[in-house]
Amino acid sequence: MWEARPGRKAGDCSDEVTLSCKGAKSRTSGRNLRSTGTKARTHVDRLRASNTDLEEQLKASRRELAEAREHLAEALEQQTATSEVLQVISSFPCDLEPVFQSMLENATRICDAQFGNLYLCEGDAFRIVAMHGAAPGYAEARKHNPLVRPPPDSALGRVAITKQPAHIADVKTTRSYIERDPFLILGVDQGGYRTIVAVPMLKNNELIGAILIFRQKVEPFSDKHIELLSNFAKQAVIAIENTRLLNELRASLQQQTATADVLKVISRSTFDLQAVLDTLVESAVRLCDADMAAIHRLRGSIYEHAASHWLTPAIRDYMTKIQFEPGRGTIAGRTALERDVIHVTDVQDDPEYTLGASARAMGARTMLGVPLLREGIPIGMIVLMRRVVRRFSDREIDLATTFADQAVIAIENVRLFYEIQEKSRQLELASQHKSQFLASMSHELRTPLNAIIGLTEMMCTNAARFGTEKAQEPLRRVNAAGTHLLGLINQVLDLSKIEAGKLELNPQSLQLAPLIDDVVDTARQLAGQNKNRLVVETQENLGALTVDPMRLRQILLNLFSNACKFTKQGQVTLRACRVLADGRDWIDLAVADTGIGMTAEQQAKLFQDFTQADSLTARRYGGTGLGLAISRKLARIMGGDVTVASEAGKGSVFTVRLPVGLEKSAAV
């Protein structure tokens, strides 16, 4: 059996085996056989090298796939955390605490940290507003002193200075820790942290806070962790801004609602100022986040308690007994003295405040005084109080000022109402005295005047017998003047009776046609004075009318007198007819003329007492301006009215409309 030559493996002699089996026929054939064997070995080597490369590529692909899966898992975890935070933000639009807690929980979990803190800027310091995973002793200490001023080489201090992320691999290597700064000593000794990363919360490049996460061993955070924490900080800023805008919108709506409520109370409580002031102090306490509120009003030269909210009965009783004067010793007195808003952060530390014992009894710390100004003079003030040292915001001060303005409006409304009421009472009393005087004087004047008229008539009639023919014409003039004066006195008497509500009617049921004939006969003499033609147009069967005949004659003669006075060589027409209006039967008596007419402006004031169309007309035509006013008042007392239709230069039509059945009207 064939054996391999020393130094060779069996597989390496494939060419020799082939040669032995087939036989070597020539040198060329041997060379060909050896060449074929060399090529086979080369091919096998290449296959082996290719397999090695494939194995390396496979290992590399597996590593890349593992890294990709790891990155994908990290990205998925980050996206899930971000989604959770956004969901919390949408679920709690007005409450930041659950949002901050969700951020810290996700940040510490994903970044493999032990605990985290979230701070908000407050002046030159930071206030801790959220913690997650902190040791109980550390958490309690931070809650007890939430306002901190970190050293500049701490992570939070670096963020405050640079507004950039700060990463400290080992806090024990910082100078502040070595110098035993309390802020860092507390964190290391009770919080147990070593590695810290802090990222800023920025709004328009303004630092509003920071997020910090901690590891309790020296193990620096990766850039991805810092980037993730920065994204959470951006979300925190968005949440804070959303909450701020929503709270501002809600506060604005509350303010508008409160203002509307107060104005509604003001409009409904014209006589009840106390209800308005009580509403104001209640709204001020609620919307300005105060614990107590009071309003003091000026009485003479001092200010007294007028309304309050959330004062205990004992304190309210005490406040009602205090009288404030302008001065520095009280917030109310200081507000009156300065005539401006007074804002004291802590009255118990104010050396000028003299009611220290009272302030301690009420628990008052921060106080705000806003004056109630009328024409620059303080007529009162509204005082707001808090039991904690916390200043009122600008929005709250503006709102308190609005309430103060509304209090001034309410006080002024009540004052003016009572002033107007008193003036009305005085005017009513004066009007009654005037009416009584006019009625009394009219009666007194009529007696001698009637005597004069009677004597002159008798002397004119018997002039021949008395031998006074030469005095007959002057006596007629005296008689005419006396008659005219008596008419004027009767008009004044009627007016005084109407105003006093003492005019009495004597209604009678009568046929209208005979009354019209009687009035027309009298009116013919008036028409003849200016050569006017008198025309009567009446409907047949006018029937009966229930009316005071004397007052109806008075109205018609007044209208005829006016028509004849303002018409020369024209026509005066009386039209009478029945009409149906508003489901009732009426009688219309219209006196039309072709005289000078009136403009719309003249018609607007035509029925006012002692008023004529204009001064030129009064001088030219005379008259007192009472006839038409009294005629309308009489018609309205009898349930009807007097109206006018006129056009300048084209005449006028005065229409008396009366109900067929007399009904006394209240409109006088």
Side-chain angles (χ1 to χ4, degrees):
M1 189 173 181
W2 184 86
E3 294 180 357
R5 286 184 293 179
R8 290 189 178 183
K9 298 179 181 178
D12 295 338
C13 301
S14 60
D15 55 337
E16 294 184 6
V17 173
T18 303
L19 183 59
S20 299
C21 293
K22 293 184 177 182
K25 294 182 179 182
S26 67
R27 293 181 178 177
T28 304
S29 299
R31 285 195 298 270
N32 289 337
L33 289 172
R34 284 192 294 273
S35 174
T36 301
T38 302
K39 290 179 179 179
R41 284 196 301 273
T42 302
H43 183 65
V44 169
D45 291 340
R46 287 177 180 173
L47 286 174
R48 288 175 178 171
S50 176
N51 288 339
T52 303
D53 290 342
L54 287 174
E55 288 177 357
E56 293 298 327
Q57 291 177 9
L58 180 60
K59 290 178 182 179
S61 296
R62 286 174 176 172
R63 285 194 302 268
E64 290 177 0
L65 181 59
E67 290 177 0
R69 286 176 176 172
E70 183 180 354
H71 291 323
L72 181 61
E74 289 178 357
L76 183 59
E77 187 178 24
Q78 292 178 12
Q79 290 179 1
T80 302
T82 302
S83 177
E84 289 178 1
V85 172
L86 292 176
Q87 186 174 359
V88 174
I89 291 175
S90 63
S91 300
F92 299 91
C94 297
D95 189 359
L96 290 172
E97 183 178 355
V99 177
F100 293 158
Q101 288 295 337
S102 178
M103 287 180 180
L104 292 177
E105 180 182 354
N106 282 282
T108 55
R109 175 172 51 82
I110 296 174
C111 298
D112 194 23
Q114 278 69 56
F115 68 98
N117 294 343
L118 193 147
Y119 292 87
L120 293 180
C121 294
E122 190 170 309
D124 61 346
F126 290 89
R127 180 178 294 276
I128 192 165
V129 295
M131 289 184 286
H132 177 74
Y138 174 83
E140 187 62 29
R142 279 283 177 259
K143 290 178 181 178
H144 184 68
N145 292 300
L147 202 64
V148 298
R149 290 177 175 81
D153 59 344
S154 67
L156 187 57
R158 292 179 186 179
V159 167
I161 296 171
T162 64
K163 299 180 183 178
Q164 297 292 328
H167 188 191
I168 299 177
D170 188 357
V171 70
K172 286 188 175 182
T173 63
T174 62
R175 180 176 179 179
S176 294
Y177 176 79
I178 296 172
E179 294 178 354
R180 310 296 293 174
D181 183 275
F183 177 77
L184 295 178
I185 293 300
L186 174 65
V188 174
D189 292 353
Q190 297 193 32
Y193 61 68
R194 296 292 295 274
T195 299
I196 310 172
V197 64
V199 296
M201 295 159 53
L202 299 174
K203 187 184 75 173
N204 298 329
N205 203 36
E206 178 186 353
L207 184 68
I208 64 172
I211 300 178
L212 286 72
I213 57 174
F214 309 87
R215 283 176 176 165
Q216 293 175 325
K217 58 183 178 180
V218 178
E219 183 183 354
F221 292 91
S222 67
D223 292 340
K224 290 183 179 179
H225 291 154
I226 297 175
E227 182 181 358
L228 175 63
L229 198 60
S230 297
N231 288 334
F232 280 133
K234 293 176 182 177
Q235 289 178 337
V237 172
I238 293 173
I240 291 172
E241 187 65 11
N242 287 346
T243 301
R244 182 187 67 82
L245 293 174
L246 189 58
N247 287 337
E248 285 184 357
L249 177 61
R250 180 172 295 176
S252 177
L253 290 175
Q254 288 178 337
Q255 179 177 347
Q256 292 178 8
T257 302
T259 301
D261 290 342
V262 171
L263 293 176
K264 189 185 298 182
V265 173
I266 290 175
S267 64
R268 293 178 177 177
S269 306
T270 307
F271 308 100
D272 191 359
L273 178 61
Q274 192 62 48
V276 178
L277 299 183
D278 288 342
T279 302
L280 282 170
V281 290
E282 187 276 331
S283 299
V285 167
R286 176 165 47 87
L287 297 180
C288 296
D289 194 20
D291 294 312
M292 296 170 282
I295 290 178
H296 308 290
R297 288 187 60 195
L298 183 64
R299 306 285 189 186
S301 60
I302 60 174
Y303 296 87
E304 296 179 351
H305 175 272
S308 58
H309 189 67
W310 284 126
L311 295 181
T312 65
I315 295 175
R316 185 182 294 107
D317 183 64
Y318 171 74
M319 293 295 294
T320 57
K321 296 177 182 178
I322 297 179
Q323 296 179 337
F324 299 98
E325 295 182 354
R328 306 291 303 176
T330 63
I331 301 303
R334 205 176 301 179
T335 304
L337 181 66
E338 298 291 338
R339 301 184 181 185
D340 202 353
V341 174
I342 299 298
H343 196 183
V344 179
T345 304
D346 190 355
V347 293
Q348 295 186 16
D349 288 340
D350 187 339
E352 294 182 306
Y353 192 72
T354 58
L355 295 180
S358 301
R360 283 189 292 273
M362 291 186 293
R365 301 299 294 269
T366 298
M367 296 185 70
L368 176 71
V370 180
L372 277 58
L373 297 176
R374 184 183 72 200
E375 299 178 355
I377 304 299
I379 62 172
M381 65 283 302
I382 181 170
V383 178
L384 303 179
M385 295 166 278
R386 282 175 174 162
R387 291 191 175 95
V388 296
V389 178
R390 179 164 59 89
R391 290 180 65 82
F392 290 89
S393 67
D394 291 340
R395 186 195 67 82
E396 291 165 343
I397 294 174
D398 290 340
L399 187 54
T401 303
T402 299
F403 287 138
D405 293 339
Q406 290 175 334
V408 172
I409 293 172
I411 293 171
E412 281 300 282
N413 284 349
V414 172
R415 183 183 67 83
L416 292 173
F417 175 79
Y418 283 115
E419 282 187 2
I420 292 172
Q421 202 173 42
E422 177 61 20
K423 293 292 184 183
S424 298
R425 189 190 65 80
Q426 293 176 1
L427 289 173
E428 184 179 359
L429 185 61
S431 178
Q432 291 177 356
H433 291 162
K434 179 202 71 173
S435 298
Q436 292 173 0
F437 171 77
L438 290 176
S440 176
M441 289 302 298
S442 297
H443 282 293
E444 294 295 328
L445 290 172
R446 289 174 70 186
T447 301
L449 195 56
N450 280 325
I452 294 173
I453 293 172
L455 288 172
T456 53
E457 285 181 353
M458 183 183 65
M459 293 180 69
C460 289
T461 304
N462 300 290
R465 190 173 62 174
F466 294 150
T468 56
E469 291 88 347
K470 295 182 179 180
Q472 189 172 17
E473 181 59 29
L475 287 172
R476 286 191 181 130
R477 293 180 183 178
V478 171
N479 183 263
T483 303
H484 178 67
L485 182 58
L486 180 61
L488 297 179
I489 292 173
N490 286 334
Q491 287 182 341
V492 172
L493 180 60
D494 286 341
L495 180 63
S496 66
K497 288 180 178 180
I498 292 172
E499 289 182 347
K502 295 182 178 180
L503 183 71
E504 296 181 359
L505 297 179
N506 183 24
Q508 300 176 22
S509 179
L510 50 85
Q511 292 296 317
L512 187 58
L515 184 142
I516 291 175
D517 292 339
D518 181 50
V519 170
V520 169
D521 287 341
T522 305
R524 292 189 188 281
Q525 299 177 6
L526 299 173
Q529 293 176 359
N530 284 335
K531 299 180 180 180
N532 292 312
R533 188 164 59 93
L534 187 61
V535 177
V536 179
E537 300 174 358
T538 61
Q539 178 182 323
E540 293 184 2
N541 301 321
L542 287 175
L545 175 69
T546 301
V547 72
D548 186 327
M550 183 186 74
R551 296 304 179 183
L552 180 55
R553 287 191 185 92
Q554 182 179 349
I555 293 171
L556 291 176
L557 287 174
N558 272 332
L559 297 183
F560 271 120
S561 175
N562 267 8
C564 294
K565 179 169 63 175
F566 294 110
T567 305
K568 289 186 177 181
Q569 298 180 358
Q571 178 173 305
V572 176
T573 305
L574 172 64
R575 303 187 185 98
C577 64
R578 277 180 175 265
V579 296
L580 180 64
D582 301 326
R584 297 177 61 187
D585 287 330
W586 302 82
I587 292 292
D588 276 4
L589 300 167
V591 177
D593 64 64
T594 57
I596 61 175
M598 290 176 288
T599 63
E601 183 181 359
Q602 291 172 329
Q603 294 176 55
K605 56 183 180 180
L606 188 63
F607 293 100
Q608 298 176 11
D609 297 343
F610 302 102
T611 302
Q612 290 188 319
D614 53 46
S615 57
L616 180 61
T617 303
R619 288 195 301 270
R620 183 175 179 182
Y621 294 96
T624 61
L626 278 177
L628 290 176
I630 291 175
S631 296
R632 169 172 275 186
K633 291 178 188 293
L634 291 173
R636 289 183 173 180
I637 292 174
M638 292 187 290
D641 202 357
V642 176
T643 57
V644 62
S646 183
E647 186 176 348
K650 295 185 178 181
S652 305
V653 179
F654 286 87
T655 302
V656 184
R657 172 168 289 185
L658 294 173
V660 173
L662 178 63
E663 292 184 6
K664 186 174 180 179
S665 172
V668 178

